[in-house]
Amino acid sequence: MTTGVALANSLVYISATGDAPTTLDATGFAALTWTRWKGIITFPDITDTEEDVTYAPIDEPVTQHAKGTTTYDGMDVEYASLPADAGQIIVATAKAAKTDWNFKFVMSDGVTIYRRGPISQLSDMGGDANTIKMMNATILPNVHVRVVA
C-alpha cells in the first residue's frame, strides 16, 4: 500500500531582497539569501496552466486544440500573524515595493519550488474573539523553477 505525503514540515522562504537571481534557474535561486516565513497555516496550490488555443477548420468535424502561453496561477499563502517574524516583515516590505520578489517552497518530500513575482494582495483576515489573527498574501508568479531532490 502506498502512503501519501503529508505537508507537515514543509517550509516557505522569502528572499531578503527583491533582487533577481543572476540566472533564473535552480543555481541562481539557490544563491540568494533566504529568510524563513514562519506561521504558515495553508501551503499554497502551486499550479501552471497553458492557455487553450482552439480553431475549427471547415474541413474537420472536430475543433482542434493547442497549448498557448503558460500562466503561473496566483498563490494564496495563509499564515498566523507573528509581528516579530523576520520573514513576515519582509513580506510586508515586498508588498509595499510593488515589484517582483523571490519565494522558495520546500515540501516535506524534498521537492523545492522557486517562484518570482509580486505580492498583489496582503489581507488581515477576520474572525471572532477565539481566533488567532490570520493574514493572507497573494503571490502572482512570473517565474517557476521546480527542483526534485
mmCIF file of all heavy atoms in Angstrom, residues 83-118:
data_model
loop_
_atom_site.group_PDB
_atom_site.id
_atom_site.type_symbol
_atom_site.label_atom_id
_atom_site.label_comp_id
_atom_site.label_asym_id
_atom_site.label_seq_id
_atom_site.Cartn_x
_atom_site.Cartn_y
_atom_site.Cartn_z
ATOM 1 N N PRO A 83 4.107 39.332 14.391
ATOM 2 C CA PRO A 83 4.683 40.645 14.050
ATOM 3 C C PRO A 83 6.203 40.737 14.137
ATOM 4 O O PRO A 83 6.805 41.537 13.428
ATOM 5 C CB PRO A 83 4.015 41.596 15.053
ATOM 6 C CG PRO A 83 2.742 40.930 15.424
ATOM 7 C CD PRO A 83 3.046 39.458 15.398
ATOM 8 N N ALA A 84 6.842 39.933 14.968
ATOM 9 C CA ALA A 84 8.302 39.997 15.112
ATOM 10 C C ALA A 84 9.030 39.054 14.151
ATOM 11 O O ALA A 84 10.263 39.051 14.114
ATOM 12 C CB ALA A 84 8.698 39.686 16.547
ATOM 13 N N ASP A 85 8.291 38.254 13.368
ATOM 14 C CA ASP A 85 8.926 37.293 12.469
ATOM 15 C C ASP A 85 9.602 38.019 11.310
ATOM 16 O O ASP A 85 8.964 38.801 10.594
ATOM 17 C CB ASP A 85 7.890 36.296 11.933
ATOM 18 C CG ASP A 85 8.504 35.351 10.924
ATOM 19 O OD1 ASP A 85 9.441 34.608 11.288
ATOM 20 O OD2 ASP A 85 8.075 35.376 9.747
ATOM 21 N N ALA A 86 10.889 37.751 11.108
ATOM 22 C CA ALA A 86 11.647 38.421 10.049
ATOM 23 C C ALA A 86 11.059 38.153 8.667
ATOM 24 O O ALA A 86 11.014 39.049 7.817
ATOM 25 C CB ALA A 86 13.109 37.972 10.100
ATOM 26 N N GLY A 87 10.598 36.932 8.428
ATOM 27 C CA GLY A 87 10.001 36.603 7.135
ATOM 28 C C GLY A 87 8.745 37.413 6.868
ATOM 29 O O GLY A 87 8.534 37.930 5.771
ATOM 30 N N GLN A 88 7.887 37.545 7.887
ATOM 31 C CA GLN A 88 6.653 38.310 7.713
ATOM 32 C C GLN A 88 6.939 39.799 7.535
ATOM 33 O O GLN A 88 6.224 40.493 6.813
ATOM 34 C CB GLN A 88 5.706 38.060 8.880
ATOM 35 C CG GLN A 88 5.168 36.640 8.875
ATOM 36 C CD GLN A 88 4.102 36.413 9.922
ATOM 37 O OE1 GLN A 88 3.471 37.332 10.413
ATOM 38 N NE2 GLN A 88 3.872 35.144 10.249
ATOM 39 N N ILE A 89 7.986 40.295 8.156
ATOM 40 C CA ILE A 89 8.383 41.690 7.955
ATOM 41 C C ILE A 89 8.802 41.904 6.503
ATOM 42 O O ILE A 89 8.426 42.901 5.867
ATOM 43 C CB ILE A 89 9.503 42.080 8.942
ATOM 44 C CG1 ILE A 89 8.927 42.097 10.368
ATOM 45 C CG2 ILE A 89 10.122 43.420 8.576
ATOM 46 C CD1 ILE A 89 9.983 42.165 11.466
ATOM 47 N N ILE A 90 9.547 40.957 5.940
ATOM 48 C CA ILE A 90 9.954 41.057 4.533
ATOM 49 C C ILE A 90 8.742 40.953 3.620
ATOM 50 O O ILE A 90 8.670 41.638 2.595
ATOM 51 C CB ILE A 90 11.029 39.995 4.189
ATOM 52 C CG1 ILE A 90 12.303 40.245 4.998
ATOM 53 C CG2 ILE A 90 11.336 40.021 2.688
ATOM 54 C CD1 ILE A 90 13.329 39.134 4.890
ATOM 55 N N VAL A 91 7.761 40.113 3.964
ATOM 56 C CA VAL A 91 6.529 40.011 3.167
ATOM 57 C C VAL A 91 5.866 41.381 3.048
ATOM 58 O O VAL A 91 5.467 41.809 1.960
ATOM 59 C CB VAL A 91 5.556 38.970 3.770
ATOM 60 C CG1 VAL A 91 4.179 39.073 3.142
ATOM 61 C CG2 VAL A 91 6.116 37.564 3.595
ATOM 62 N N ALA A 92 5.752 42.096 4.167
ATOM 63 C CA ALA A 92 5.142 43.435 4.138
ATOM 64 C C ALA A 92 5.971 44.397 3.288
ATOM 65 O O ALA A 92 5.425 45.213 2.537
ATOM 66 C CB ALA A 92 4.994 43.966 5.565
ATOM 67 N N THR A 93 7.291 44.286 3.375
ATOM 68 C CA THR A 93 8.178 45.117 2.558
ATOM 69 C C THR A 93 7.986 44.802 1.083
ATOM 70 O O THR A 93 7.914 45.705 0.239
ATOM 71 C CB THR A 93 9.654 44.881 2.960
ATOM 72 O OG1 THR A 93 9.809 45.221 4.336
ATOM 73 C CG2 THR A 93 10.606 45.695 2.117
ATOM 74 N N ALA A 94 7.888 43.509 0.754
ATOM 75 C CA ALA A 94 7.703 43.090 -0.640
ATOM 76 C C ALA A 94 6.385 43.609 -1.203
ATOM 77 O O ALA A 94 6.314 44.052 -2.356
ATOM 78 C CB ALA A 94 7.758 41.569 -0.741
ATOM 79 N N LYS A 95 5.321 43.577 -0.404
ATOM 80 C CA LYS A 95 4.021 44.091 -0.857
ATOM 81 C C LYS A 95 4.118 45.590 -1.134
ATOM 82 O O LYS A 95 3.645 46.077 -2.149
ATOM 83 C CB LYS A 95 2.938 43.796 0.192
ATOM 84 C CG LYS A 95 1.619 44.497 -0.039
ATOM 85 C CD LYS A 95 0.969 44.103 -1.364
ATOM 86 C CE LYS A 95 -0.441 44.613 -1.505
ATOM 87 N NZ LYS A 95 -0.585 45.887 -2.183
ATOM 88 N N ALA A 96 4.737 46.326 -0.242
ATOM 89 C CA ALA A 96 4.866 47.779 -0.403
ATOM 90 C C ALA A 96 5.739 48.150 -1.599
ATOM 91 O O ALA A 96 5.545 49.196 -2.218
ATOM 92 C CB ALA A 96 5.428 48.397 0.873
ATOM 93 N N ALA A 97 6.696 47.285 -1.946
ATOM 94 C CA ALA A 97 7.637 47.576 -3.028
ATOM 95 C C ALA A 97 6.991 47.557 -4.405
ATOM 96 O O ALA A 97 7.480 48.178 -5.336
ATOM 97 C CB ALA A 97 8.797 46.591 -2.978
ATOM 98 N N LYS A 98 5.914 46.817 -4.567
ATOM 99 C CA LYS A 98 5.211 46.708 -5.844
ATOM 100 C C LYS A 98 6.121 46.209 -6.978
ATOM 101 O O LYS A 98 5.970 46.585 -8.130
ATOM 102 C CB LYS A 98 4.563 48.037 -6.226
ATOM 103 C CG LYS A 98 3.518 48.500 -5.238
ATOM 104 C CD LYS A 98 2.847 49.771 -5.695
ATOM 105 C CE LYS A 98 1.884 50.302 -4.685
ATOM 106 N NZ LYS A 98 0.643 49.625 -4.582
ATOM 107 N N THR A 99 7.101 45.379 -6.630
ATOM 108 C CA THR A 99 7.988 44.775 -7.623
ATOM 109 C C THR A 99 8.033 43.271 -7.388
ATOM 110 O O THR A 99 7.521 42.771 -6.396
ATOM 111 C CB THR A 99 9.420 45.338 -7.502
ATOM 112 O OG1 THR A 99 9.919 45.057 -6.186
ATOM 113 C CG2 THR A 99 9.456 46.840 -7.741
ATOM 114 N N ASP A 100 8.672 42.550 -8.297
ATOM 115 C CA ASP A 100 8.831 41.114 -8.127
ATOM 116 C C ASP A 100 9.713 40.806 -6.922
ATOM 117 O O ASP A 100 10.619 41.578 -6.577
ATOM 118 C CB ASP A 100 9.448 40.489 -9.375
ATOM 119 C CG ASP A 100 8.461 40.385 -10.524
ATOM 120 O OD1 ASP A 100 7.296 40.807 -10.362
ATOM 121 O OD2 ASP A 100 8.850 39.882 -11.589
ATOM 122 N N TRP A 101 9.434 39.667 -6.293
ATOM 123 C CA TRP A 101 10.205 39.179 -5.147
ATOM 124 C C TRP A 101 10.409 37.690 -5.353
ATOM 125 O O TRP A 101 9.794 37.086 -6.232
ATOM 126 C CB TRP A 101 9.439 39.443 -3.840
ATOM 127 C CG TRP A 101 10.337 39.873 -2.716
ATOM 128 C CD1 TRP A 101 10.930 39.054 -1.805
ATOM 129 C CD2 TRP A 101 10.738 41.200 -2.384
ATOM 130 N NE1 TRP A 101 11.675 39.807 -0.911
ATOM 131 C CE2 TRP A 101 11.573 41.133 -1.249
ATOM 132 C CE3 TRP A 101 10.471 42.459 -2.928
ATOM 133 C CZ2 TRP A 101 12.147 42.241 -0.649
ATOM 134 C CZ3 TRP A 101 11.039 43.563 -2.332
ATOM 135 C CH2 TRP A 101 11.868 43.451 -1.213
ATOM 136 N N ASN A 102 11.262 37.064 -4.568
ATOM 137 C CA ASN A 102 11.595 35.653 -4.729
ATOM 138 C C ASN A 102 11.040 34.833 -3.569
ATOM 139 O O ASN A 102 11.123 35.254 -2.419
ATOM 140 C CB ASN A 102 13.115 35.480 -4.793
ATOM 141 C CG ASN A 102 13.721 36.372 -5.848
ATOM 142 O OD1 ASN A 102 13.506 36.190 -7.037
ATOM 143 N ND2 ASN A 102 14.461 37.381 -5.421
ATOM 144 N N PHE A 103 10.513 33.644 -3.904
ATOM 145 C CA PHE A 103 9.915 32.761 -2.911
ATOM 146 C C PHE A 103 10.434 31.351 -3.123
ATOM 147 O O PHE A 103 10.642 30.915 -4.254
ATOM 148 C CB PHE A 103 8.386 32.773 -3.032
ATOM 149 C CG PHE A 103 7.814 34.155 -2.920
ATOM 150 C CD1 PHE A 103 7.639 34.939 -4.054
ATOM 151 C CD2 PHE A 103 7.487 34.686 -1.688
ATOM 152 C CE1 PHE A 103 7.135 36.231 -3.960
ATOM 153 C CE2 PHE A 103 6.983 35.971 -1.577
ATOM 154 C CZ PHE A 103 6.809 36.753 -2.719
ATOM 155 N N LYS A 104 10.623 30.640 -2.013
ATOM 156 C CA LYS A 104 11.091 29.245 -2.071
ATOM 157 C C LYS A 104 10.139 28.404 -1.236
ATOM 158 O O LYS A 104 9.882 28.706 -0.074
ATOM 159 C CB LYS A 104 12.517 29.142 -1.532
ATOM 160 C CG LYS A 104 13.058 27.729 -1.504
ATOM 161 C CD LYS A 104 14.558 27.688 -1.249
ATOM 162 C CE LYS A 104 14.904 27.714 0.194
ATOM 163 N NZ LYS A 104 16.347 27.428 0.452
ATOM 164 N N PHE A 105 9.613 27.351 -1.852
ATOM 165 C CA PHE A 105 8.697 26.423 -1.197
ATOM 166 C C PHE A 105 9.385 25.074 -1.132
ATOM 167 O O PHE A 105 9.699 24.484 -2.165
ATOM 168 C CB PHE A 105 7.387 26.323 -1.989
ATOM 169 C CG PHE A 105 6.710 27.657 -2.159
ATOM 170 C CD1 PHE A 105 7.012 28.468 -3.237
ATOM 171 C CD2 PHE A 105 5.795 28.102 -1.221
ATOM 172 C CE1 PHE A 105 6.403 29.711 -3.385
ATOM 173 C CE2 PHE A 105 5.183 29.338 -1.360
ATOM 174 C CZ PHE A 105 5.484 30.146 -2.445
ATOM 175 N N VAL A 106 9.654 24.601 0.076
ATOM 176 C CA VAL A 106 10.332 23.319 0.272
ATOM 177 C C VAL A 106 9.308 22.356 0.863
ATOM 178 O O VAL A 106 8.856 22.525 1.992
ATOM 179 C CB VAL A 106 11.548 23.459 1.209
ATOM 180 C CG1 VAL A 106 12.236 22.108 1.385
ATOM 181 C CG2 VAL A 106 12.513 24.505 0.674
ATOM 182 N N MET A 107 8.940 21.363 0.076
ATOM 183 C CA MET A 107 7.927 20.413 0.515
ATOM 184 C C MET A 107 8.568 19.275 1.301
ATOM 185 O O MET A 107 9.748 18.977 1.145
ATOM 186 C CB MET A 107 7.170 19.886 -0.693
ATOM 187 C CG MET A 107 6.407 20.986 -1.398
ATOM 188 S SD MET A 107 5.500 20.345 -2.789
ATOM 189 C CE MET A 107 5.291 21.844 -3.723
ATOM 190 N N SER A 108 7.765 18.640 2.113
ATOM 191 C CA SER A 108 8.268 17.594 3.001
ATOM 192 C C SER A 108 8.843 16.392 2.245
ATOM 193 O O SER A 108 9.610 15.623 2.808
ATOM 194 C CB SER A 108 7.165 17.131 3.957
ATOM 195 O OG SER A 108 6.039 16.688 3.220
ATOM 196 N N ASP A 109 8.510 16.246 0.966
ATOM 197 C CA ASP A 109 9.048 15.127 0.183
ATOM 198 C C ASP A 109 10.353 15.478 -0.518
ATOM 199 O O ASP A 109 10.873 14.702 -1.314
ATOM 200 C CB ASP A 109 8.022 14.621 -0.836
ATOM 201 C CG ASP A 109 7.629 15.665 -1.867
ATOM 202 O OD1 ASP A 109 8.127 16.819 -1.794
ATOM 203 O OD2 ASP A 109 6.805 15.347 -2.747
ATOM 204 N N GLY A 110 10.905 16.678 -0.239
ATOM 205 C CA GLY A 110 12.187 17.071 -0.814
ATOM 206 C C GLY A 110 12.091 17.915 -2.065
ATOM 207 O O GLY A 110 13.103 18.432 -2.539
ATOM 208 N N VAL A 111 10.911 18.084 -2.629
ATOM 209 C CA VAL A 111 10.751 18.928 -3.806
ATOM 210 C C VAL A 111 10.866 20.389 -3.382
ATOM 211 O O VAL A 111 10.273 20.810 -2.387
ATOM 212 C CB VAL A 111 9.392 18.675 -4.498
ATOM 213 C CG1 VAL A 111 9.132 19.682 -5.601
ATOM 214 C CG2 VAL A 111 9.327 17.259 -5.048
ATOM 215 N N THR A 112 11.636 21.161 -4.126
ATOM 216 C CA THR A 112 11.757 22.600 -3.893
ATOM 217 C C THR A 112 11.252 23.328 -5.122
ATOM 218 O O THR A 112 11.611 22.978 -6.242
ATOM 219 C CB THR A 112 13.222 22.998 -3.621
ATOM 220 O OG1 THR A 112 13.655 22.344 -2.424
ATOM 221 C CG2 THR A 112 13.375 24.505 -3.454
ATOM 222 N N ILE A 113 10.419 24.338 -4.892
ATOM 223 C CA ILE A 113 9.908 25.150 -5.989
ATOM 224 C C ILE A 113 10.258 26.602 -5.700
ATOM 225 O O ILE A 113 9.993 27.115 -4.611
ATOM 226 C CB ILE A 113 8.388 24.983 -6.163
ATOM 227 C CG1 ILE A 113 8.099 23.548 -6.592
ATOM 228 C CG2 ILE A 113 7.843 25.985 -7.175
ATOM 229 C CD1 ILE A 113 6.646 23.216 -6.758
ATOM 230 N N TYR A 114 10.905 27.231 -6.688
ATOM 231 C CA TYR A 114 11.217 28.650 -6.605
ATOM 232 C C TYR A 114 10.227 29.394 -7.492
ATOM 233 O O TYR A 114 9.928 28.953 -8.608
ATOM 234 C CB TYR A 114 12.631 28.929 -7.124
ATOM 235 C CG TYR A 114 13.728 28.269 -6.326
ATOM 236 C CD1 TYR A 114 14.372 27.135 -6.802
ATOM 237 C CD2 TYR A 114 14.141 28.803 -5.109
ATOM 238 C CE1 TYR A 114 15.393 26.534 -6.078
ATOM 239 C CE2 TYR A 114 15.164 28.207 -4.383
ATOM 240 C CZ TYR A 114 15.782 27.084 -4.880
ATOM 241 O OH TYR A 114 16.792 26.490 -4.156
ATOM 242 N N ARG A 115 9.748 30.514 -7.003
ATOM 243 C CA ARG A 115 8.880 31.367 -7.811
ATOM 244 C C ARG A 115 9.294 32.811 -7.589
ATOM 245 O O ARG A 115 9.770 33.176 -6.516
ATOM 246 C CB ARG A 115 7.413 31.163 -7.456
ATOM 247 C CG ARG A 115 6.918 29.825 -8.039
ATOM 248 C CD ARG A 115 5.467 29.805 -8.224
ATOM 249 N NE ARG A 115 5.105 28.891 -9.299
ATOM 250 C CZ ARG A 115 3.875 28.628 -9.635
ATOM 251 N NH1 ARG A 115 2.866 29.185 -9.003
ATOM 252 N NH2 ARG A 115 3.619 27.823 -10.631
ATOM 253 N N ARG A 116 9.093 33.611 -8.625
ATOM 254 C CA ARG A 116 9.409 35.037 -8.570
ATOM 255 C C ARG A 116 8.221 35.804 -9.103
ATOM 256 O O ARG A 116 7.705 35.498 -10.184
ATOM 257 C CB ARG A 116 10.662 35.338 -9.390
ATOM 258 C CG ARG A 116 11.031 36.815 -9.424
ATOM 259 C CD ARG A 116 12.398 37.044 -10.057
ATOM 260 N NE ARG A 116 12.632 38.465 -10.247
ATOM 261 C CZ ARG A 116 12.950 39.314 -9.277
ATOM 262 N NH1 ARG A 116 13.087 38.873 -8.047
ATOM 263 N NH2 ARG A 116 13.121 40.603 -9.531
ATOM 264 N N GLY A 117 7.771 36.794 -8.338
ATOM 265 C CA GLY A 117 6.652 37.623 -8.761
ATOM 266 C C GLY A 117 6.244 38.560 -7.645
ATOM 267 O O GLY A 117 6.747 38.468 -6.519
ATOM 268 N N PRO A 118 5.314 39.465 -7.933
ATOM 269 C CA PRO A 118 4.885 40.424 -6.906
ATOM 270 C C PRO A 118 3.868 39.823 -5.941
ATOM 271 O O PRO A 118 3.180 38.858 -6.265
ATOM 272 C CB PRO A 118 4.242 41.539 -7.730
ATOM 273 C CG PRO A 118 3.696 40.825 -8.930
ATOM 274 C CD PRO A 118 4.687 39.731 -9.234
#
